[in-house]
């Protein structure tokens, strides 16, 4: 045990080190880390200290106290709530604009909770603070740490409390408990810090268990207790614990020793910090070797840890596996935020790693493992996990790069030349009218979409999509408000119907119709069974026709005076304001019959019960000629897919598939045969086309948002062939021999279609 006297003498000698040491304290506005910070300020020579905290109410008095302790020091608040990785990135970015080196990184964020608390990153909050947040600080600040001759990382958490990880559930999504969370985060801290020290041997890493120190974390834990137990814990147990446990003051002194003593040097390089105290030896590292760069300490400064367990982990290279897992989590969280944040400002890019080489001429060899292990697609850079690629130096649209990592080469299975199969309606020209707007996607926007063209249309209350018809069929889906449809066929049969959100209409080619918005704001998707919808002779407006017909002919045709038509608009208005629909009731006779039953042009999907789809990953509502008989040329499926779910591998034998993504984020790989495939990323407002008979899937890449999209086919029915079902119903030896997979795997394949597979599905 290192005596408290030795600790205090070593700490006091910090005054002998050259002035201007730069330190960053995370989670130091209270408790153990705050007292470590106070000791560092008290004993250091003109230190420059940055303190990350979320509230001015805590930071301001803390900084005033630091100024009283050491007036020669510089104390800079970084006001961020670091429970989210984007805020960690922002704090690191701010620090990097102010400093070119970092000598000490001390981290102690975290609290205790009995139940799972998921934050906006999709991570359990207490686990994130005790592990992922800390690793994000390390990863972001490696360039500054490598630029210092005396850099050290101190993570105050649970050294010696390592255990057997649940390797199939490192985030504890299915095995969360307070005990498991403490064990997992302790073990992962130890393994990750060993990897950092091994790949960056000029940095020393210390993971320490502080012992039982009564902090405000126990008060937070008590909030989860049953009221009588909470009273007993707060009023009886905590006072006793404070009498028999290590004081915060002593804990702060000991942790300053852990953060600065030559007893815990890096594996390589000359230690230029404090000298080693007399009668004190260099400590044994986590790998059992003296001075190996990563140290697991108990509260007394002595080495702790289950050597047998840690040796097993080293043999299996778990340090590398945990670091890879950590980077994968970062990629996932970053990817789920794509298009929402200003990533150029909020997060480090591949250039951060390149800049670090300029900070220290000897640093590049130690940075290489990071370049090799961290792909940069989520940062908008074409660099894969093997180090292939390089940062983009020329002009680029950063937001599009971030939204489309697969365009940067993220999928190693992509191959060959596949044309663009995606179009964002946000890239379409929006035409504005009194009472609404329209924007389209036609074949000139997406040349691969031969069968279907699409449009979004918005109508304000009472606004009209004027009287017209098409030489192609029209299909519509209401997703906001209420829309009144009116149509007349060649027999004079007619229909007026008010459609709600989720309802559908279909007008066969050549049928006269109009649309009116009934709600305050109304919006819908239109589709047409010809990709070249803007071609001449496709849409015919009544007022346009009348404006280009001699008025005397109009007078003869309608049996009225020519003057009646003097105000026919030209050019046609397309969308125009109408009367308030709430003030009039449609009173339309049906002398020639009504379009209803099998002849109805509308389908009230909103009134149907939609059961979960096979695979239990969401719902799929099919609307085609089998339940909507009039719809003979456009078949539809409205799909919802849970976070992480998968629309299984399949293809459509009868038509191209046209898609409109209404909500969420998705990924799909399209296989065109001949070793040709390409992956696309989608977000709300995107349209896409999957060529006739091409193999594909759709994956919901969000961790918390349901994906909603619409599939359309120029066909009378929706049809798909399931890859899994095909393999399951083919002679098993043929499948096993062809794919070189075990026969037992083939035997276990589902013989029924699993349309929408839930996340974490088991066979």
């Amino acid at each position: 045990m290192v005596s408290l006297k030795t600790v205090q003498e070593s700490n006091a000698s910090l005054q002998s080190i050259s002035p201007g040491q730069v330190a960053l304290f995370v989670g130091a506005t209270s408790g153990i880390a705050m007292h470590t910070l106070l000791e560092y300020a008290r004993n250091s020579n003109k230190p420059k200290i940055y303190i990350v905290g979320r509230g001015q109410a805590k930071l301001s008095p803390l900084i005033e106290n630091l100024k009283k302790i050491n007036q020669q020091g510089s104390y800079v608040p970084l006001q961020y709530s670091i429970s989210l990785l984007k805020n960690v990135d922002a704090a690191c970015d701010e620090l990097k604009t102010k400093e070119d080196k970092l000598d000490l990184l001390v981290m102690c964020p975290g609290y205790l909770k009995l139940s799972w608390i998921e934050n906006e990153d999709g991570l359990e909050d207490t686990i994130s603070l005790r592990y992922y947040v800390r690793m994000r600080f390390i990863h972001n600040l490696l360039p500054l740490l490598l630029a210092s001759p005396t850099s050290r990382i101190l993570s105050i958490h649970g050294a010696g409390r390592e255990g057997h990880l649940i390797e199939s559930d490192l985030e504890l999504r299915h095995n969360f408990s307070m005990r498991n969370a403490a064990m997992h985060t302790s073990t992962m801290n130890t393994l990750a810090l060993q990897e950092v020290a091994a790949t960056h041997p000029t940095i020393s890493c210390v993971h320490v268990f502080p012992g039982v120190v009564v902090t405000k974390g126990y008060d937070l834990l008590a909030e989860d207790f049953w009221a009588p137990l909470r009273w007993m814990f707060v009023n009886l147990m905590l006072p006793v614990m404070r009498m028999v446990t290590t004081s915060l003051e002593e804990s702060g002194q000991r942790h300053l020793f852990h953060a600065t003593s030559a007893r815990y040097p890096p594996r390589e390089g000359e230690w230029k910090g404090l000298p080693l105290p007399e009668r004190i030896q260099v400590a044994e590292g986590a790998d059992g070797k003296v001075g190996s760069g990563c140290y697991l300490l108990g509260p007394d400064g002595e080495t702790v840890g289950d050597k047998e367990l840690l040796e097993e982990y080293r043999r299996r290279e778990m340090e590398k596996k945990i670091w890879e897992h950590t980077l994968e989590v970062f990629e996932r969280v970053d990817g789920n935020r794509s298009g929402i944040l200003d990533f150029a400002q909020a997060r480090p890019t591949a250039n951060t790693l390149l800049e670090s080489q300029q900070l220290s001429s000897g640093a590049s060899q130690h940075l290489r493992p990071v370049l090799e292990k961290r792909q940069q697609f989520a940062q908008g850079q074409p660099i894969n996990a093997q180090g292939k690629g390089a940062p983009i130096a020329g002009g680029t649209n950063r937001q599009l790069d971030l939204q489309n990592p697969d365009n940067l080469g993220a999928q190693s299975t992509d191959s060959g030349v596949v044309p663009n199969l995606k179009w964002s309606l946000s890239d379409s020209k929006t035409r504005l009218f009194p009472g609404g707007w329209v924007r389209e996607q036609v074949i000139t926007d997406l040349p691969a979409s031969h069968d279907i063209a699409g449009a979004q249309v918005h109508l304000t209350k009472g606004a009209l999509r004027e009287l017209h018809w098409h030489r192609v069929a029209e299909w519509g889906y209401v997703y906001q408000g209420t829309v009144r449809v009116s149509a007349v066929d060649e027999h004079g049969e007619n229909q007026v119907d008010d459609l709600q959100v989720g309802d559908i209409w279909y007008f066969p080619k050549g049928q006269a119709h109009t649309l009116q918005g009934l709600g305050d704001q109304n919006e819908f998707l239109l589709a047409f069974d010809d990709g070249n919808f803007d071609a001449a002779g496709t849409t015919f407006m009544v007022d346009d026709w009348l404006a280009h017909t001699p008025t005397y002919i109009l007078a003869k045709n309608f049996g009225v005076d020519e003057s009646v038509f003097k105000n026919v608009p030209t050019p046609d208005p397309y969308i125009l304001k109408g009367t308030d629909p709430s003030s009039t009731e449609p009173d339309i006779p049906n002398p020639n019959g009504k379009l209803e039953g099998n002849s109805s042009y509308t389908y009230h999907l909103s009134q149907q019960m939609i059961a979960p789809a096979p695979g239990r990953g969401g719902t799929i509502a099919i609307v085609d000629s089998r339940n909507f008989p009039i719809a003979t040329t456009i078949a539809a499926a409205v799909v919802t897919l849970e976070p992480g779910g998968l629309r299984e591998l399949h293809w459509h034998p009868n038509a191209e598939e046209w898609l409109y993504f209404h909500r969420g984020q998705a990924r799909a790989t399209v296989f065109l045969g001949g070793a040709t495939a390409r992956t696309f990323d989608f977000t709300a407002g995107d349209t896409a086309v999957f060529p006739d008979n091409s193999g594909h899937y759709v994956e919901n890449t969000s961790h918390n948002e349901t994906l909603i999209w619409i599939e359309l086919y120029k066909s009378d029915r929706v049809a798909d062939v399931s890859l899994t079902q095909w393999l399951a119903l083919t002679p098993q030896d043929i499948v096993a021999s062809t794919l070189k997979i075990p026969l037992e795997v083939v035997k276990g394949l589902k013989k029924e279609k699993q349309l929408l597979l839930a996340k974490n599905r088991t066979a």
Side-chain angles (χ1 to χ4, degrees):
M1 175 179 178
V2 180
S3 70
L4 183 58
K5 180 180 178 182
T6 299
V7 165
Q8 292 169 339
E9 289 174 350
S10 177
N11 292 346
S13 65
L14 280 171
Q15 287 287 344
S16 64
I17 293 183
S18 58
Q21 294 284 296
V22 180
L24 174 67
F25 283 76
V26 180
T29 55
S30 64
I32 296 169
M34 185 184 76
H35 282 78
T36 306
L37 166 60
L38 296 175
E39 291 299 320
Y40 184 73
R42 180 175 291 111
N43 292 281
S44 296
N45 184 4
K46 298 180 181 179
K48 191 166 188 180
I49 304 175
Y50 292 85
I51 308 109
V52 179
R54 64 180 176 181
Q56 197 66 31
K58 286 189 174 182
L59 286 170
S60 293
L62 174 58
I63 289 175
E64 289 303 314
N65 192 16
L66 291 169
K67 290 177 178 178
K68 293 177 182 178
I69 291 173
N70 186 343
Q71 295 181 358
Q72 295 182 321
S74 172
Y75 312 103
V76 183
L78 300 176
Q79 192 170 334
Y80 297 94
S81 176
I82 58 164
S83 60
L84 300 180
L85 297 186
K86 66 178 181 181
N87 296 336
V88 174
D89 295 340
C92 293
D93 286 348
E94 183 174 344
L95 178 63
K96 286 186 285 188
T97 64
K98 301 175 185 295
E99 301 296 337
D100 59 5
K101 74 178 179 76
L102 180 63
D103 302 297
L104 175 62
L105 172 59
V106 177
M107 299 177 291
C108 190
Y111 62 99
L112 302 175
K113 276 292 180 181
L114 297 175
S115 56
W116 176 280
I117 302 172
E118 185 163 320
N119 63 24
E120 293 178 21
D121 284 339
L123 302 171
E124 200 286 320
D125 201 51
T126 65
I127 292 176
S128 183
L129 283 168
R130 288 182 283 177
Y131 179 70
Y132 295 107
V133 161
R134 301 181 189 212
M135 296 307 115
R136 187 71 156 209
F137 271 107
I138 293 173
H139 188 275
N140 288 356
L141 297 175
L142 275 173
L144 301 191
L145 290 162
L146 289 164
S148 167
T150 59
S151 60
R152 179 165 298 171
I153 299 167
L154 176 65
S155 182
I156 304 171
H157 182 36
R161 268 54 183 170
E162 297 82 11
H164 292 279
L165 294 168
I166 304 172
E167 294 180 34
S168 62
D169 187 22
L170 291 175
E171 298 177 55
L172 296 178
R173 293 184 176 277
H174 307 288
N175 297 276
F176 181 84
S177 67
M178 190 169 71
R179 179 179 179 276
N180 282 348
M183 182 272 290
H184 260 232
T185 53
S186 297
T187 308
M188 291 165 71
N189 262 275
T190 288
L191 294 171
L193 288 173
Q194 287 186 79
E195 179 68 3
V196 171
T199 54
H200 304 83
T202 60
I203 301 174
S204 68
C205 299
V206 177
H207 181 201
V208 61
F209 174 60
V212 181
V213 182
V214 179
T215 67
K216 290 184 178 180
Y218 286 97
D219 295 320
L220 290 173
L221 175 62
E223 293 176 2
D224 289 342
F225 291 172
W226 179 49
L229 285 178
R230 182 166 61 247
W231 185 91
M232 293 176 60
F233 184 78
V234 171
N235 294 283
L236 299 178
M237 294 181 64
L238 284 182
V240 173
M241 291 172 65
R242 288 189 174 96
M243 290 188 290
V244 299
T245 57
T246 303
S247 69
L248 282 167
E249 289 74 15
E250 180 180 340
S251 182
Q253 293 171 358
R254 289 192 173 277
H255 284 98
L256 178 58
F257 180 79
H258 303 150
T260 58
S261 173
R263 180 168 165 77
Y264 315 108
R267 191 179 73 193
E268 294 181 6
E270 181 184 357
W271 177 251
K272 297 181 180 179
L274 288 178
L276 194 66
E278 292 183 9
R279 302 181 303 279
I280 297 294
Q281 303 297 318
V282 171
E284 182 182 280
D287 60 358
K289 300 176 182 178
V290 173
S292 57
C294 181
Y295 306 90
L296 310 181
L297 308 180
D300 59 0
E302 297 296 340
T303 301
V304 296
D306 184 333
K307 293 186 177 181
E308 185 175 336
L309 174 64
L310 295 175
E311 177 57 34
E312 176 192 341
Y313 280 148
R314 277 191 296 278
R315 179 176 52 80
R316 295 175 52 210
E317 296 188 324
M318 283 299 292
E319 303 96 331
K320 298 182 185 299
K321 294 176 183 177
I322 291 300
W323 191 249
E324 289 292 343
H325 158 78
T326 306
L327 299 180
E328 288 171 3
V329 169
F330 291 168
E331 298 288 352
R332 186 188 75 217
V333 173
D334 292 346
N336 286 336
R337 296 205 312 266
S338 293
I340 299 173
L341 300 175
D342 181 359
F343 285 107
Q345 298 297 323
R347 133 171 345 98
T349 67
N351 288 332
T352 305
L353 299 177
L354 301 179
E355 289 162 3
S356 66
Q357 299 177 8
Q358 301 168 2
L359 295 174
S360 173
S361 59
S364 60
Q365 65 182 32
H366 307 314
L367 284 172
R368 191 172 297 113
V370 178
L371 282 168
E372 292 174 353
K373 293 179 182 178
R374 187 175 186 199
Q375 55 189 28
Q376 295 290 316
F377 302 115
Q379 283 74 47
Q381 298 290 358
I383 302 172
N384 70 13
Q386 289 72 47
K388 291 183 179 180
I392 298 172
T396 191
N397 187 319
R398 179 66 60 190
Q399 291 303 314
L400 285 181
D401 292 338
L402 291 166
Q403 291 177 22
N404 298 277
D406 290 301
N407 278 352
L408 298 175
Q411 295 301 325
S412 61
T413 52
D414 285 1
S415 177
V417 177
V418 177
N420 180 49
L421 303 177
K422 167 186 171 180
W423 177 263
S424 172
L425 286 166
S426 295
D427 287 328
S428 297
K429 173 66 176 177
T430 303
R431 290 183 285 157
L432 308 181
F433 305 95
W437 54 260
V438 62
R439 59 185 186 182
E440 301 175 338
Q441 174 257 294
V442 295
I443 196 167
T444 51
D445 301 315
L446 187 57
S449 185
H450 310 98
D451 291 352
I452 302 289
Q456 288 176 309
V457 180
H458 191 104
L459 300 177
T460 58
K461 190 170 187 177
L464 302 168
R465 172 65 181 96
E466 62 165 309
L467 296 157
H468 65 285
W469 75 96
H470 309 287
R471 67 164 178 82
V472 298
E474 174 181 314
W475 182 96
Y477 177 86
V478 181
Y479 55 79
Q480 182 185 30
T482 303
V483 176
R484 177 169 292 164
V485 301
S486 172
V488 179
D489 72 0
E490 68 269 29
H491 306 296
E493 295 180 332
N494 63 336
Q495 181 176 18
V496 177
D497 198 2
D498 295 345
L499 303 187
Q500 310 299 321
V501 170
D503 291 341
I504 292 170
W505 71 82
Y506 174 90
F507 300 136
K509 64 178 295 185
Q511 302 307 298
H513 59 275
T514 188
L515 308 167
Q516 184 177 30
L518 301 186
D520 290 336
Q521 303 295 334
N522 312 275
E523 200 164 306
F524 47 88
L525 176 71
L526 290 181
F528 308 92
D529 61 0
D530 187 340
N532 195 17
F533 178 71
D534 276 353
T538 300
T539 298
F540 306 88
M541 313 288 191
V542 169
D543 50 12
D544 186 22
W545 186 15
L546 298 189
H548 294 88
T549 301
T551 55
Y552 80 92
I553 295 295
L554 297 178
K556 282 186 177 183
N557 186 79
F558 294 107
V560 296
D561 189 87
E562 287 186 48
S563 62
V564 170
F565 301 102
K566 65 180 181 180
N567 294 320
V568 172
T570 181
D572 58 277
Y574 199 90
I575 292 174
L576 65 156
K577 291 184 177 180
T579 58
D580 185 346
S582 62
S583 64
T584 60
E585 290 292 333
D587 184 17
I588 306 299
N590 311 108
N592 303 304
K594 190 174 183 180
L595 293 168
E596 58 186 356
N598 288 349
S599 299
S600 175
Y601 289 171
T602 61
Y603 183 84
H604 291 269
L605 181 59
S606 64
Q607 298 177 11
Q608 309 302 313
M609 294 294 295
I610 303 174
R616 313 296 293 185
T619 64
I620 181 166
I622 294 175
V623 181
D624 59 20
S625 61
R626 291 169 290 190
N627 55 0
F628 190 20
I630 199 70
T632 56
T633 66
I634 298 182
V638 181
V639 187
T640 68
L641 185 60
E642 295 174 358
L646 181 73
R647 172 73 170 95
E648 67 167 338
L649 290 160
H650 66 284
W651 71 92
H652 303 283
N654 57 336
E656 292 178 354
E657 177 180 358
W658 184 90
L659 305 93
Y660 159 74
F661 290 93
H662 182 62
R663 179 185 301 167
Q665 301 173 64
R667 178 186 298 123
T669 300
V670 182
F671 169 64
L672 297 184
T676 304
R678 180 176 171 184
T679 304
F680 296 87
D681 302 286
F682 300 102
T683 190
D686 287 345
T687 66
V689 61
F690 298 157
D692 195 345
N693 273 274
S694 62
H696 56 275
Y697 64 86
V698 177
E699 179 189 17
N700 184 346
T701 55
S702 173
H703 69 274
N704 60 4
E705 184 177 19
T706 298
L707 178 68
I708 301 175
W709 79 92
I710 293 173
E711 305 172 358
L712 297 179
Y713 310 88
K714 188 175 182 178
S715 177
D716 63 340
R717 73 192 194 284
V718 175
D720 71 278
V721 179
S722 163
L723 174 60
T724 301
Q725 186 182 51
W726 175 35
L727 298 180
L729 298 177
T730 297
Q732 295 168 354
D733 60 324
I734 294 177
V735 176
S737 298
T738 301
L739 300 180
K740 302 296 188 288
I741 61 176
L743 188 61
E744 291 304 312
V745 173
V746 181
K747 291 179 179 179
L749 295 176
K750 298 283 188 180
K751 295 178 175 60
E752 304 79 23
K753 287 184 180 180
Q754 303 295 298
L755 296 175
L756 302 176
L757 300 171
K759 182 182 179 182
N760 298 327
R761 163 185 171 269
T762 56

